[in-house]
Amino acid sequence: MSDTSAAPVRRHGNFPQQFLQGSGVLWFIIAAIGQWMFVVYILGAYIPRTLGGSFERWNETGLIDGYVQNDALGNFGFISHVLLAAFVSAAGVIQLLPVIRRKFPAFHRWNGRAYMSVAVFLAVGGIILVWVRGTRMNDWAALGTTLDGVLILVTAAFTLRHAMARRIDLHRRWAMRLFLVVNGVWFVRVFYMAWAIASGGAGMHRTMDGPTDILVPYLAFLVPLVLLEAYQKARDSRSSGFKLGVAGLILAGAGVTALGLFGAWMMMWSPNILIFG
């Protein structure tokens, strides 16, 4: 009798936690879809051109510095960076799926090792491309990309450290942080397009030196990190109000991500996929 009467109270009391978790799941689903959209874009835009030997056509996708004549090493570094970005986009989503972790632990471990190794390689390679090859919009954006690269190295180290020590909860928290900073460049595209649609491009200049152009490379990984930290604290908190407030912020982040993905696909990614080109 007492168990039955208490059940509705427990369900009602759990609503803030369930709402918080639901908001997090929704954002992850939207981001996961966006990651696969990015993978489709990379493969569709670069594989046919590369296999066909039309390397100069990399620049048709609106790159800052894609193919550069007489720069074989730089060109190889660029296309390696791009194609490996497709791998980490796919592998990162797979790595965070609970069903993979539970049912295929061996695959989870090996995929995680490959993911972290490639992420570290991309972080170092990205910094080299920015400062040695000069592949950057402006110096402020380059500093943002460099900071993101350093955070990838730091979060990868902590993720691996806690995994090796079997501190699974800490490992998962750092893995989430790693996932966000690895996708910093992806978030840049998403945030740019969300802001362009919402504001009409306020603060964005063709020379890529407007206030929005300078801020987005930093906000693209700092905002998701702040929201993740808020989510983790709210999940551990006993305050229903805090949980609901953070859930609202997460839903707003999900909405911005969905808007940016729509803009990125319509204006940046799908036009550059030349299936028959």
Side-chain angles (χ1 to χ4, degrees):
M1 181 72 172
S2 59
D3 289 342
T4 303
S5 61
V9 176
R10 286 200 301 270
R11 285 196 297 269
H12 177 74
N14 285 336
F15 172 75
Q17 183 74 7
Q18 293 168 351
F19 186 54
L20 176 67
Q21 292 176 345
S23 67
V25 169
L26 176 62
W27 196 4
F28 176 74
I29 290 173
I30 292 172
I33 292 171
Q35 291 283 290
W36 283 103
M37 290 164 62
F38 191 49
V39 171
V40 170
Y41 156 67
I42 290 175
L43 298 181
Y46 292 100
I47 291 295
R49 292 171 167 92
T50 304
L51 292 180
S54 303
F55 308 130
E56 70 283 353
R57 294 188 61 200
W58 294 344
N59 297 331
E60 294 176 359
T61 60
L63 296 166
I64 302 170
D65 285 305
Y67 174 79
V68 177
Q69 192 172 6
N70 300 321
D71 183 18
L73 182 61
N75 292 332
F76 177 76
F78 165 78
I79 196 61
S80 300
H81 190 87
V82 169
L83 296 180
L84 287 174
F87 169 78
V88 295
S89 293
V93 171
I94 294 171
Q95 191 66 9
L96 294 181
L97 292 175
V99 64
I100 299 296
R101 186 170 60 243
R102 289 195 306 266
K103 295 189 176 183
F104 307 99
F107 174 80
H108 175 77
R109 288 192 295 270
W110 282 105
N111 185 63
R113 291 166 186 162
Y115 176 75
M116 283 191 288
S117 299
V118 173
V120 168
F121 176 81
L122 289 176
V124 175
I127 293 172
I128 292 174
L129 285 173
V130 165
W131 295 109
V132 177
R133 203 184 195 215
T135 306
R136 59 181 183 266
M137 296 182 293
N138 55 65
D139 288 346
W140 285 108
L143 287 171
T145 301
T146 302
L147 176 57
D148 186 45
V150 171
L151 288 176
I152 290 173
L153 300 179
V154 171
T155 53
F158 277 100
T159 301
L160 178 61
R161 177 184 177 185
H162 291 305
M164 294 177 65
R166 302 297 182 185
R167 293 187 288 264
I168 301 304
D169 183 62
L170 288 173
H171 165 68
R172 290 175 182 171
R173 290 172 183 255
W174 280 100
M176 286 296 299
R177 294 173 182 129
L178 176 61
F179 176 79
L180 293 181
V181 293
V182 165
N183 288 298
V185 175
W186 177 83
F187 274 117
V188 166
R189 291 165 169 79
V190 172
F191 279 21
Y192 262 123
M193 297 313 303
W195 179 256
I197 293 172
S199 71
M204 300 169 67
H205 298 169
R206 290 187 178 275
T207 52
M208 303 302 291
D209 59 356
T212 299
D213 303 312
I214 292 173
L215 286 175
V216 166
Y218 297 87
L219 298 178
F221 62 88
L222 291 177
V223 170
L225 279 176
V226 169
L227 289 178
L228 174 62
E229 296 306 309
Y231 175 84
Q232 292 179 339
K233 288 186 179 298
R235 189 180 58 184
D236 298 336
S237 173
R238 295 184 178 181
S239 170
S240 296
F242 185 43
K243 291 178 186 293
L244 292 173
V246 171
L249 291 176
I250 298 297
L251 288 177
V256 170
T257 303
L259 179 64
L261 286 172
F262 170 77
W265 182 256
M266 296 301 296
M267 289 178 267
M268 295 172 62
W269 295 343
S270 62
N272 286 312
I273 301 176
L274 303 180
I275 299 176
F276 302 105

